[in-house]
Amino acid sequence: MGNGVPAEFFKTKLSEAKIHFERALDCKHTEFDDLYPYMIEHPQFFWYKRYVAWSELLTIVKLCEQLGEEWQEQFSQQQVDYIQKRVMSSKVLDYWFETNDSKEHVS
């Protein structure tokens, strides 16, 4: 497509967004803490922080798809499924770091 932006740029941005989301999941410090220090007092803080990080991740993935850049290789198949569904469900929060979905096969 020759959009003038190197593919490496998108790989880096995607990696940063993934790390940001994973740090938010783990309740670790992110840029969000610096932007909204007053929110740490609020019980919804970690929910907002995760929501912002998830939105950022989906935005970068959407840009990659629109520009024909590969994005799935940085994620497990299960994580790709979550991203493609776009909804940050409790399953995403609980199982993002799971390497397999064996729990889902229990009947």
Side-chain angles (χ1 to χ4, degrees), residues 6-42:
E8 206 51 47
F9 173 82
F10 287 100
K11 282 196 171 74
T12 303
K13 291 295 159 200
L14 189 62
S15 176
E16 287 170 359
K18 181 177 191 263
I19 290 165
H20 184 195
F21 179 63
E22 291 178 348
R23 288 186 66 82
L25 277 183
D26 282 342
C27 302
K28 290 181 179 164
H29 187 275
T30 69
E31 189 181 52
F32 192 77
D33 299 74
D34 301 330
L35 293 172
Y36 304 102
Y38 68 93
M39 279 191 66
I40 293 169
E41 318 295 320
H42 296 267

Side-chain angles (χ1 to χ4, degrees), residues 51-78:
Y51 173 77
V52 167
W54 180 246
S55 298
E56 180 187 3
L57 182 58
L58 291 183
T59 300
I60 305 281
V61 164
K62 191 175 183 179
L63 284 172
C64 288
E65 285 181 341
Q66 288 173 343
L67 294 167
E69 299 292 344
E70 172 55 51
W71 64 270
Q72 298 186 4
E73 61 198 21
Q74 291 196 37
F75 301 90
S76 71
Q77 185 52 55
Q78 184 165 307

Side-chain angles (χ1 to χ4, degrees), residues 90-107:
S90 58
K91 190 182 275 189
V92 173
L93 298 176
D94 291 341
Y95 300 118
W96 180 262
F97 292 109
E98 294 289 320
T99 51
N100 60 52
D101 56 358
S102 54
K103 290 185 178 74
E104 293 177 10
H105 294 304
V106 178
S107 50

